[in-house]
Amino acid sequence: MFTFTVCESTIINRPIEVVFAYISDSEKDLLWCPAVKKMEQIAGNGPGLGARYRMFHTPGGMKFDAIVEVVAYEPPRLFKWVMTDSGHTLRGTYELEPVRNGTRLEQTSQITFERWLRITGLFLKRSIAKEVRHELGKQFANLKQILESEQMRQPARSTVRSPERNVA
C-alpha cells in the first residue's frame, strides 16, 4: 500500500450550520464536485452516521465506481467519510469552524493506493497530489459560488396560495 495526504481550506461567507447541512448531504455533491457524475444513497435515511452511497466519479479523467460511507457526523463541525473503489481508498474529513464573516471549511483527504495503483501512486505522488489539490480548488470555488449566491441567502418562498374570497 501507498498513502499520502492532501489538505485544503477555504472561507465561505455563510453560517456554519448552512455550510455543514449542504456539504453533509452527499447527494448534493453532483452540484459542486465536478468529478462526481452519479451519487445514489443505498443505506441510511438522508445524511448521517452510517449513510452509504454508490458513486460514479471521474477524477483526473479516470473512471471509478465507488462506495462512500459516512463514518463521523457531528453537526455542525465534523463530517468524515470513507470512499472505496477498485484501486484506492480515500478517507475524507471536513472540519468546520465559525470565523468572523462565515465558516472556515477544511478538507483533509488521505488517499491509499492498493493493488495495481500502488506502484503508479508511488511514482506519480506529486502529480496526483497536484491533481487532487486542483480538484479541491474547483470544488471549493463551486461550493462558495452556490452557498454565497443571493438565491441561497433568501428564505424559501411559499407556494401555497390563500383561498380567494367570494365578495358579494
Side-chain angles (χ1 to χ4, degrees), residues 75-146:
R77 296 187 177 267
L78 182 68
F79 182 74
K80 292 184 178 186
W81 74 99
V82 176
M83 181 197 75
T84 307
D85 61 33
S86 61
H88 70 289
T89 300
L90 187 149
R91 297 181 189 286
T93 301
Y94 289 133
E95 293 181 90
L96 298 87
E97 67 176 323
V99 294
R100 185 170 179 198
N101 290 319
T103 302
R104 180 176 178 274
L105 170 63
E106 179 175 279
Q107 179 176 340
T108 303
S109 299
Q110 182 186 54
I111 303 164
T112 302
F113 290 93
E114 301 164 6
R115 295 189 293 261
W116 61 273
L117 280 178
R118 181 174 51 116
I119 301 296
T120 304
L122 187 59
F123 287 111
L124 299 175
K125 177 182 177 182
R126 286 187 184 170
S127 177
I128 293 169
K130 183 179 177 181
E131 178 64 26
V132 170
R133 282 190 180 91
H134 178 72
E135 289 293 323
L136 288 178
K138 288 192 299 188
Q139 290 175 16
F140 283 170
N142 290 344
L143 186 61
K144 281 179 66 70
Q145 182 178 16
I146 290 167

Side-chain angles (χ1 to χ4, degrees), residues 39-99:
M39 182 73 79
E40 171 189 18
Q41 189 159 13
I42 57 174
N45 185 16
L49 185 62
R52 294 183 72 208
Y53 302 86
R54 184 179 328 278
M55 176 177 74
F56 178 70
H57 65 126
T58 57
M62 299 182 289
K63 297 178 181 180
F64 294 101
D65 284 308
I67 299 296
V68 179
E69 181 172 1
V70 177
V71 296
Y73 186 82
E74 300 172 18
R77 296 187 177 267
L78 182 68
F79 182 74
K80 292 184 178 186
W81 74 99
V82 176
M83 181 197 75
T84 307
D85 61 33
S86 61
H88 70 289
T89 300
L90 187 149
R91 297 181 189 286
T93 301
Y94 289 133
E95 293 181 90
L96 298 87
E97 67 176 323
V99 294

